[in-house]
Amino acid sequence: MISFEYSKSAKEIKTYPLLSSQRIFFLCWDFCGRNQLRAAMYPAPDRFCCCFTFEDGVKTQLHTHDYIELGYVVKGNFKQKISGKDIIFQEGDVCLIDKNCIHQDYLSCQDSIVLFFGIENSMFEEVMNEHITTGKIISFLQTALMKQSDLQQYIHFHPTRDARKEIEPCLSLLLTELYENKIGSTHICRGLLLRIFRILSTHYDFSLTRERQKNINWTVFEEICSYIQTHYQSVTTHELMERFHFQRDYFNRLIRKKTGMTYSEYLQNIRLEQAKRLLIETELTISEISEQVGYHNKGYFYQLFVNKYNMTPGKYKKRMLEHPCNPMPQHPE
């Protein structure tokens, strides 16, 4: 079950250890001090718990899996080398490692407990296909972890406030189901995995390789902007935080990076563009248009419109109806 490092270059491929009907298992590592590691795996053909003695800092042999591995640090911290980079996972952290990612584990005398869940590939895809979070982000996770065999990919999840209170009861129920392994356990485990991934998407931040972070930032930007453009009349940053599960400052940083505008400026631009359209295409009054695009103070709407387009809404409407092909002057940026 554990192979201590015997070569700097050899790579072991760990195959899924159970029958295909048993679609998830857990492995518990309990570093109990005195250079000892207790390990147990469930379900298993024969239940077992064994004890290893090791030298502090020794590593396991480089290896990959042919299944998805989800690791959770229950107590203390845990160090791994993933794709050549040393990473320390703190208490409450989660790591999701794809089936092609080369990694190895450091064994430490520090008192700590780590859980590893091996998820059979088709079960992982089923969980992802349930759309437990915003569609494009789930699509990204799918492709990052399952579809691109040439990439060695992992995702490091960091808990936000109260994250552990949400995820640990689900993990405890999952451990119980896997330990008892009763009839119907597979279906219950699948449901618990859905809950766990939902919590990861709502109560955890996550970090990726630099290339992947650029991709996810662009994916999130597209999804956020699509939502703002659809709900521009009443959208708030609090609403975006609730829906997309990021901090308020994140939206400003992301939108400024992609557009050169703050969130407020970006939303204002969308509203004023819609106001221009309504002025030309409808018979709504200026007050009605102001309300419809999200400005309940007509005077403030006038001020914003004049500042951006250098004319009042009424003058703009008249000019465009009389000279629809003439471009409209705007204040220089």
Side-chain angles (χ1 to χ4, degrees):
M1 184 171 61
I2 296 180
S3 297
F4 296 118
E5 186 177 53
Y6 55 81
S7 168
K8 297 293 185 182
S9 58
K11 180 184 70 175
E12 296 180 346
I13 300 177
K14 297 184 180 294
T15 59
Y16 192 75
L18 303 176
L19 299 174
S20 59
S21 58
Q22 295 174 306
R23 306 176 70 193
I24 180 173
F25 69 91
F26 83 86
L27 175 66
C28 178
W29 281 7
D30 181 1
F31 295 90
C32 46
R34 302 180 304 280
N35 299 73
Q36 288 189 337
L37 166 62
R38 290 196 295 258
M41 175 179 158
Y42 295 94
D46 297 305
R47 292 184 176 184
F48 67 92
C49 180
C50 51
C51 185
F52 299 88
T53 301
F54 61 89
E55 295 182 6
D56 189 33
V58 70
K59 292 176 284 189
T60 60
Q61 183 56 37
L62 286 166
H63 63 278
T64 64
H65 310 122
D66 66 357
Y67 53 88
I68 299 294
E69 182 181 78
L70 185 149
Y72 181 77
V73 182
V74 179
K75 179 182 178 182
N77 58 52
F78 182 62
K79 183 178 179 181
Q80 288 183 306
K81 183 184 288 290
I82 306 179
S83 299
K85 180 181 178 181
D86 284 345
I87 300 169
I88 297 177
F89 297 95
Q90 304 293 339
E91 195 169 294
D93 282 3
V94 174
C95 184
L96 196 60
I97 298 181
D98 82 355
K99 59 185 180 180
N100 305 296
C101 190
I102 300 173
H103 60 287
Q104 59 188 153
D105 314 297
Y106 287 84
L107 306 187
S108 169
C109 291
Q110 179 181 347
D111 190 16
S112 57
I113 299 174
V114 185
L115 297 174
F116 303 95
F117 294 90
I119 307 170
E120 190 263 339
N121 296 321
S122 65
M123 175 176 259
F124 179 79
E125 285 198 328
E126 287 176 17
V127 170
M128 293 295 101
N129 287 337
E130 288 286 341
H131 302 293
I132 50 177
T133 184
T134 48
K136 290 182 180 178
I137 295 176
I138 274 296
S139 176
F140 170 80
L141 293 176
Q142 269 187 312
T143 56
L145 290 165
M146 291 292 294
K147 304 298 184 183
Q148 303 204 20
S149 59
D150 59 325
L151 294 177
Q152 297 183 14
Q153 182 63 48
Y154 70 94
I155 302 179
H156 183 180
F157 293 89
H158 313 273
T160 58
R161 188 178 64 179
D162 296 329
R164 297 187 68 183
K165 293 179 182 179
E166 293 290 330
I167 201 169
E168 289 190 355
C170 292
L171 291 173
S172 179
L173 289 171
L174 183 57
L175 292 176
T176 300
E177 285 297 327
L178 292 170
Y179 177 79
E180 295 180 349
N181 197 27
K182 295 179 179 179
I183 293 175
S185 178
T186 297
H187 301 290
I188 296 172
C189 289
R190 182 178 177 276
L192 288 168
L193 273 182
L194 284 170
R195 292 184 188 177
I196 289 165
F197 276 96
R198 175 63 177 173
I199 293 166
L200 288 175
S201 73
T202 57
H203 289 74
Y204 280 75
D205 296 324
F206 60 92
S207 56
L208 304 146
T209 60
R210 182 174 300 177
E211 177 184 355
R212 281 301 186 184
Q213 189 64 53
K214 290 179 181 178
N215 290 344
I216 192 64
N217 281 344
W218 183 254
T219 298
V220 173
F221 171 73
E222 287 184 320
E223 192 157 356
I224 290 172
C225 290
S226 176
Y227 187 85
I228 293 172
Q229 289 165 5
T230 304
H231 302 86
Y232 66 89
Q233 297 98 329
S234 59
V235 67
T236 64
T237 52
H238 180 74
E239 181 181 342
L240 293 172
M241 290 167 64
E242 288 291 316
R243 180 173 179 83
F244 294 98
H245 321 299
F246 291 104
Q247 298 300 314
R248 187 185 304 272
D249 289 346
Y250 177 80
F251 298 106
N252 253 327
R253 291 199 307 270
L254 185 60
I255 290 174
R256 181 180 285 279
K257 184 175 181 180
K258 302 296 185 182
T259 68
M261 294 181 279
T262 65
Y263 162 75
S264 296
E265 291 167 342
Y266 181 75
L267 177 59
Q268 176 183 299
N269 188 65
I270 291 174
R271 287 176 169 178
L272 293 178
E273 287 297 316
Q274 289 297 322
K276 283 168 52 180
R277 181 183 64 78
L278 293 172
L279 285 166
I280 300 303
E281 298 178 3
T282 74
E283 296 301 321
L284 294 173
T285 66
I286 305 298
S287 294
E288 290 170 334
I289 290 173
S290 174
E291 287 281 342
Q292 190 157 324
V293 300
Y295 294 113
H296 306 297
N297 184 321
K298 180 181 175 181
Y300 182 57
F301 169 68
Y302 259 82
Q303 178 184 342
L304 292 176
F305 197 97
V306 171
N307 285 344
K308 183 169 180 64
Y309 301 119
N310 202 27
M311 64 179 69
T312 65
K315 185 175 180 181
Y316 168 76
K317 182 180 180 77
K318 180 179 179 182
R319 177 186 180 125
M320 294 304 293
L321 290 175
E322 292 177 351
H323 307 285
C325 295
N326 285 354
M328 186 180 62
Q330 298 185 22
H331 274 313
E333 298 296 333

